[in-house]
Amino acid sequence: MAVRPYDSTVEDTVGEVLELVKGVVGEDWVTDDPAITIGYSKDNSFEAAKKPHIVALPENTEQVQEIVRIAGRYGMAVQPASAAINCAGGCIPQRGGILLDLRRMDKILEIDEENMTITMQPAVRFGVAQNMLRKQGLYAVNPSGPHTAGVATNHMDKGIGMPANKFGVGPDHIVSMTFVMPDGEILKTGSSALPGAEKVCVEGPGPDISGLFHSSMGIFGVMVEMITQVYEWPNVEVLKVAQFESEDLNRVSDFFYEVTREDFVNECSHLQDSYFSWFATEDDEVGAGIVEYIPRNNAIVIMGGENEEEVHLKEEQFLRLVERNGFELMDDSIVDMLSDMIGDICYECKVLQSTMRVTRFFGSFQVVWFNTSLDRVSDLHKKYQRLADKHFKDADWRKWQDTYPPQEVTVYTQPLEFGRSVMLELDFFISFDDSESVKRGLAFGYDAINMVLDDGGFFDRPYGGSGSFNFGTLQTPRLGTYSELLGELKADIDPRNIMAPGRLNLPVEGA
Ligand SMILES: Cc1cc2nc3c(=O)[nH]c(=O)nc-3n(C[C@H](O)[C@H](O)[C@H](O)COP(=O)(O)OP(=O)(O)OC[C@H]3O[C@@H](n4cnc5c(N)ncnc54)[C@H](O)[C@@H]3O)c2cc1C
């Protein structure tokens, strides 16, 4: 059995559904005004634009349940959006329907200092959570992204950031989730399924079904609450950067194999020069101004501990690795200069304010990120670079934007799981204002994603769907029995296919 086809005749019932949803959330919190719905139809990705018919903003779980039940009665699509900055088309309603904008569900319900958890609604953002948690000496593992990303959605979405080497990726922090299922019923995962046992066991009992909801892009229901683990904010922290000019990324991998296995750093990542400049600064001008001081390759680490002495020992260990690998240490004066510009860098790495990386995101920045192993980084980067040359070298790119040539791919390497695996992000710059730029970008993206899939890369966030363009569009059909089983589960759990229909490019019955 595959996913049931989505019934597109629901267009005729939009007026009726709108009235019913008004009865649930009140007049002010639902609309079909195209001036508003169009704002939900597009983001900066290559995903095709699609307007929802209705936008609804529920304020609690009961309202979400009611809306999902109404949608179920009419067979109308429901697309959840929480922080809605996933930068990959994840919240674009591929079949229209009801866009469930959950931004009003942004409450932190509990910070449990003793058991180190936070309980929250889906639209709590990192900036808010980190600042609340810090008051208790705690922090949530954040992505290498903006403070406006959602904590629960990022964790559910396999979020990856600088602490991923030590503390894992998004789902590793999830203790339990509460979902409104496609029939409006409530599902709690882990020991939360048993009243009174909320936080004691992440998995099961028996086969663990919570994995079904990780990176599920809304296809199995609406997450309305999450409990996640948080970690102790170290008393003392220091940031160091090891650098080298060579283009040889195998050396970066070798260095990280050692750093990660010796297990003395809390956070680490590798950024190339232009990436580093816009990671660490707030606007183009300042970023462009510091690129010349930044070496080609930078391994950034944060070491933390109880006291100065512990951190000093770790620093010495790091220095030994730097010397052994023929790297150099970034001059403290440059680290100080960055501190002058952006404040406490260790804090910034955990909270990441609106850096240029974010402002660029609203312009022309395209991301291709995937999991692979450290020993494949160099080879994949070379192949990706060759493709970028093919697609952009003869382009008159200064018509689109004037800072970063699109063929100058810039690299972010994020070690995971003690270096067993890595997230490799390779970015390029186009502009949606210029049709040639978009055409070239689409052709490049298509070739690059297929190249990654042919060469041992894996997209753990399967954005995209049928009739659109993204990682999941191209990857899911290659997954054989896995995607067939996923399709069958979707058909069983959501027989009318109302939850985020079209997403993931799952096999559709009769198609
Ligand atoms: C410039 C930039 C850089 C970034 N860098 C990184 C990085 O290095 N590492 C990293 O991990 N992240 C990074 N992020 C953040 C990351 O992309 C998002 O946190 C993540 O994709 C989740 O998106 P969101 O929090 O905005 O949630 P949303 O965009 O609201 O949702 C993400 C997906 O989950 C689904 N969804 C949303 N809410 C619900 C719900 N309540 N129930 C069920 N499904 C739901 C949506 O349909 C969508 O498909 C970056 C973001 C930006 C803008």
Side-chain angles (χ1 to χ4, degrees):
M1 191 166 49
V3 173
R4 304 269 157 71
Y6 178 66
D7 176 6
S8 55
T9 57
V10 293
E11 306 241 347
D12 308 339
T13 57
V14 171
E16 261 173 78
V17 172
L18 181 70
E19 288 311 308
L20 288 170
V21 177
K22 273 184 193 166
V24 177
V25 294
E27 291 250 350
D28 291 347
W29 299 108
V30 58
T31 184
D32 64 346
D33 181 348
I36 292 177
T37 56
I38 199 168
Y40 293 82
S41 67
K42 184 83 188 90
D43 63 12
N44 77 313
S45 69
F46 285 122
E47 194 78 17
K50 180 80 198 181
K51 250 187 351 189
H53 294 94
I54 293 171
V55 174
L57 287 84
E59 88 171 316
N60 56 42
T61 298
E62 292 71 31
Q63 291 186 358
V64 173
Q65 286 179 284
E66 277 307 300
I67 296 171
V68 170
R69 285 192 177 117
I70 293 167
R73 284 208 295 282
Y74 286 81
M76 186 174 278
V78 178
Q79 173 60 54
S82 294
I85 62 150
N86 63 77
C87 59
C91 295
I92 297 173
Q94 299 205 351
R95 303 286 181 271
I98 303 174
L99 193 298
L100 213 52
D101 181 339
L102 298 164
R103 74 178 71 192
R104 294 170 77 203
M105 294 179 67
D106 62 350
K107 316 280 176 311
I108 294 176
L109 304 173
E110 186 196 34
I111 292 177
D112 180 345
E113 196 179 340
E114 212 162 17
N115 299 305
M116 294 171 70
T117 59
I118 178 170
T119 305
M120 71 208 131
Q121 293 184 317
V124 169
R125 293 163 192 267
F126 274 98
V128 174
Q130 299 291 44
N131 284 309
M132 295 298 284
L133 286 163
R134 193 170 196 188
K135 291 180 188 152
Q136 329 251 2
L138 300 168
Y139 73 102
V141 166
N142 66 296
S144 308
H147 63 100
T148 45
V151 183
T153 41
N154 182 265
H155 285 355
M156 194 166 71
D157 215 10
K158 304 209 170 141
I160 290 174
M162 285 182 65
N165 156 64
K166 192 171 176 69
F167 296 113
V169 298
D172 296 323
H173 317 301
I174 298 176
V175 176
S176 99
M177 293 176 282
T178 304
F179 264 81
V180 171
M181 300 299 286
D183 60 1
E185 292 300 304
I186 296 287
L187 171 90
K188 285 177 181 279
T189 64
S191 63
S192 285
L194 188 68
E198 273 73 24
K199 297 177 200 165
V200 294
C201 186
V202 172
E203 297 186 338
D208 180 36
I209 56 172
S210 58
L212 258 191
F213 299 92
H214 300 159
S215 287
S216 58
M217 317 272 136
I219 67 166
F220 289 125
V222 186
M223 181 261 296
V224 285
E225 201 176 301
M226 187 181 280
I227 306 177
T228 69
Q229 293 180 52
V230 287
Y231 304 85
E232 222 176 4
W233 201 302
N235 282 340
V236 183
E237 280 185 302
V238 61
L239 177 137
K240 292 283 169 191
V241 185
Q243 46 188 223
F244 75 102
E245 287 296 347
S246 157
E247 291 294 326
D248 183 1
L249 290 182
N250 281 321
R251 290 187 57 196
V252 174
S253 295
D254 290 345
F255 184 65
F256 275 126
Y257 273 130
E258 294 198 42
V259 170
T260 51
R261 276 167 209 189
E262 290 196 15
D263 187 23
F264 63 98
V265 306
N266 286 2
E267 306 188 28
C268 63
S269 67
H270 155 250
L271 302 179
Q272 279 194 328
D273 46 6
S274 48
Y275 210 116
F276 191 110
S277 76
W278 41 279
F279 186 86
T281 55
E282 284 195 3
D283 60 51
D284 271 4
E285 214 176 309
V286 182
I290 67 165
V291 179
E292 62 176 301
Y293 301 105
I294 297 177
R296 182 69 170 142
N297 289 291
N298 304 277
I300 303 168
V301 305
I302 296 182
M303 290 157 286
E306 278 297 296
N307 50 45
E308 301 279 353
E309 198 186 343
E310 183 188 338
V311 174
H312 185 64
L313 286 171
K314 290 178 176 171
E315 267 183 77
E316 286 184 338
Q317 194 170 351
F318 182 62
L319 273 180
R320 280 197 293 277
L321 288 187
V322 171
E323 277 164 24
R324 198 155 73 218
N325 284 276
F327 282 35
E328 279 180 21
L329 208 59
M330 181 181 268
D331 204 276
D332 278 343
S333 62
I334 298 186
V335 179
D336 289 347
M337 180 181 90
L338 289 171
S339 293
D340 286 346
M341 282 183 333
I342 63 173
D344 174 353
I345 303 182
C346 296
Y347 174 83
E348 290 292 324
C349 284
K350 287 187 189 53
V351 181
L352 277 185
Q353 307 295 335
S354 301
T355 67
M356 208 158 106
R357 181 164 149 72
V358 183
T359 48
R360 290 217 132 261
F361 153 68
F362 291 107
S364 59
F365 158 57
Q366 292 295 315
V367 220
V368 174
W369 79 102
F370 52 92
N371 287 17
T372 186
S373 53
L374 269 169
D375 59 0
R376 290 189 171 173
V377 166
S378 172
D379 193 40
L380 276 160
H381 171 245
K382 281 187 194 137
K383 287 184 173 154
Y384 191 92
Q385 183 63 67
R386 277 202 291 276
L387 277 180
D389 286 343
K390 178 181 143 199
H391 285 282
F392 294 114
K393 211 160 191 172
D394 63 341
D396 185 5
W397 58 272
R398 285 189 190 281
K399 304 194 287 190
W400 323 331
Q401 45 94 12
D402 56 10
T403 323
Y404 295 101
Q407 73 274 19
E408 260 183 36
V409 169
T410 184
V411 183
Y412 162 30
T413 316
Q414 181 58 61
L416 312 171
E417 303 165 9
F418 295 97
R420 197 191 64 74
S421 155
V422 70
M423 191 274 295
L424 185 60
E425 182 175 316
L426 303 153
D427 301 326
F428 65 105
F429 306 93
I430 58 109
S431 164
F432 282 103
D433 290 342
D434 184 283
S435 60
E436 188 203 336
S437 161
V438 174
K439 269 191 222 151
R440 284 178 186 261
L442 271 169
F444 172 57
Y446 182 84
D447 281 358
I449 293 170
N450 277 313
M451 181 278 288
V452 168
L453 290 168
D454 291 341
D455 278 64
F458 180 77
F459 294 93
D460 64 348
R461 289 184 197 171
Y463 285 107
S466 50
S468 67
F469 173 76
N470 217 317
F471 313 140
T473 320
L474 300 175
Q475 179 173 266
T476 312
R478 295 187 182 213
L479 302 177
T481 309
Y482 191 94
S483 72
E484 283 165 26
L485 180 60
L486 211 55
E488 288 177 23
L489 289 166
K490 167 80 169 150
D492 276 349
I493 294 172
D494 183 12
R496 292 200 72 176
N497 192 13
I498 59 161
M499 290 305 313
R503 215 152 267 293
L504 260 73
N505 205 8
L506 291 168
V508 177
E509 231 173 61

